[in-house]
Amino acid sequence: IRDRYQRMGDPARSLEMTRRALALFEQILPENHPNFAVLEVNITTASRNLGDLGEARRAILRALEVDRVALPEGHPGIADDLHGLGSVELRLGRLDAARAAFTEGLGIMDAAFGEGNFRSTLHRASLGNVALVAGRPEDALEHLDAVLETLAVSDDPRAPRHSVGYLRQRALALRQLGRTDAARSSIERGLDLANETSQIAELPNLRLLEALLALDLGEFDRAQQLFDQATEQAGCTQESPCS
């Protein structure tokens, strides 16, 4: 039932069902059973979607505590928890804590699957995101270029879809560095991949970033055209605006 509410976009009901399941598990399962970590991760997701980052952080820390006991050292499940923790810390603006969580998770994934593996790309790209937020575009670009190189040769079918968002992040880093032509090239690659993989939701984000690049260059008419394309693709209107 919880999964159904999650798919329906109803985090409040999803959270309610998860807490009910947690109460039942506490009656029948031993302390630190791995199922508790799964439920705490679900609580993290629902709480984050509801904007309750404090509860999201408490839940993911509980999940990590359980998994550090229940799972062998270096298990990828611990890395997954660390990525969840890093994501919450980043949204809270706790950059050092986010960086530490992503770095530890990356080390676990590299040790488990070898450097440059598909599962490590999520952690490395997140380190790039931390660098972007911290105003360190050179560091962000180093991480994102490594991620995109890995995905370009990966046989995982999810690789092209994942590349779209990372190309957008790469363009952001290049824009911060003043490398406009390279940023535009990254956006064009992202648009091509977004269309190929039917990621319609990414199209307005990429167009909006392209509009910002046009503004940087003083191309005001082009910026307006791109902005209009972005809002149209996103389904935004003056009567029904969107973020």
Side-chain angles (χ1 to χ4, degrees):
I1 295 176
R2 172 262 167 195
D3 291 339
R4 183 176 67 184
Y5 284 125
Q6 186 70 22
R7 288 193 298 270
M8 290 170 57
D10 190 342
R13 294 298 299 276
S14 175
L15 182 59
E16 178 188 349
M17 294 299 104
T18 304
R19 291 197 183 283
R20 287 173 62 181
L22 183 63
L24 290 172
F25 278 14
E26 287 173 345
Q27 298 177 31
I28 61 176
L29 293 178
E31 187 179 2
N32 290 323
H33 190 282
N35 282 359
F36 286 118
V38 174
L39 291 176
E40 295 291 3
V41 169
N42 293 342
I43 290 173
T44 298
T45 301
S47 298
R48 187 173 59 220
N49 290 340
L50 288 167
D52 189 350
L53 297 180
E55 178 56 22
R57 183 175 183 272
R58 287 187 290 272
I60 196 62
L61 284 171
R62 290 193 294 265
L64 183 59
E65 182 180 6
V66 170
D67 276 341
R68 286 196 190 276
V69 174
L71 300 176
E73 185 178 357
H75 192 281
I78 297 173
D80 292 338
D81 293 342
L82 286 164
H83 188 272
L85 174 61
S87 298
V88 173
E89 298 285 24
L90 180 59
R91 290 185 63 175
L92 286 167
R94 295 161 50 92
L95 300 188
D96 289 342
R99 187 181 300 110
F102 292 140
T103 299
E104 184 181 354
L106 177 62
I108 291 173
M109 288 301 192
D110 281 349
F113 302 105
E115 291 188 15
N117 70 88
F118 175 81
R119 292 192 63 177
S120 292
T121 57
L122 181 62
H123 297 263
R124 186 173 293 282
S126 295
L127 284 168
N129 199 22
V130 173
L132 270 177
V133 174
R136 292 161 42 190
E138 297 93 344
D139 292 344
L141 202 58
E142 182 179 347
H143 287 299
L144 292 166
D145 281 346
V147 166
L148 288 165
E149 287 174 10
T150 296
L151 293 176
V153 298
S154 173
D155 58 2
D156 192 292
R158 296 168 293 178
R161 293 180 59 83
H162 285 210
S163 296
V164 175
Y166 301 150
L167 283 165
R168 176 166 49 80
Q169 287 181 291
R170 181 176 186 270
L172 283 168
L174 289 165
R175 181 188 178 221
Q176 288 185 20
L177 290 167
R179 296 171 57 185
T180 305
D181 289 342
R184 277 182 167 167
S185 177
S186 190
I187 290 171
E188 288 171 4
R189 286 173 58 198
L191 287 167
D192 288 342
L193 273 179
N195 282 309
E196 289 174 16
T197 56
S198 300
Q199 293 192 79
I200 306 303
E202 280 287 359
L203 294 175
N205 296 327
L206 289 161
R207 286 295 183 202
L208 186 58
L209 180 52
E210 198 174 12
L212 292 173
L213 289 173
L215 281 176
D216 292 341
L217 296 172
E219 300 172 351
F220 302 116
D221 289 341
R222 176 172 168 75
Q224 184 64 58
Q225 291 173 354
L226 291 165
F227 178 77
D228 290 343
Q229 288 180 33
T231 53
E232 182 180 357
Q233 289 171 333
C236 303
T237 66
Q238 190 165 2
E239 294 75 21
S240 179
C242 57
S243 59

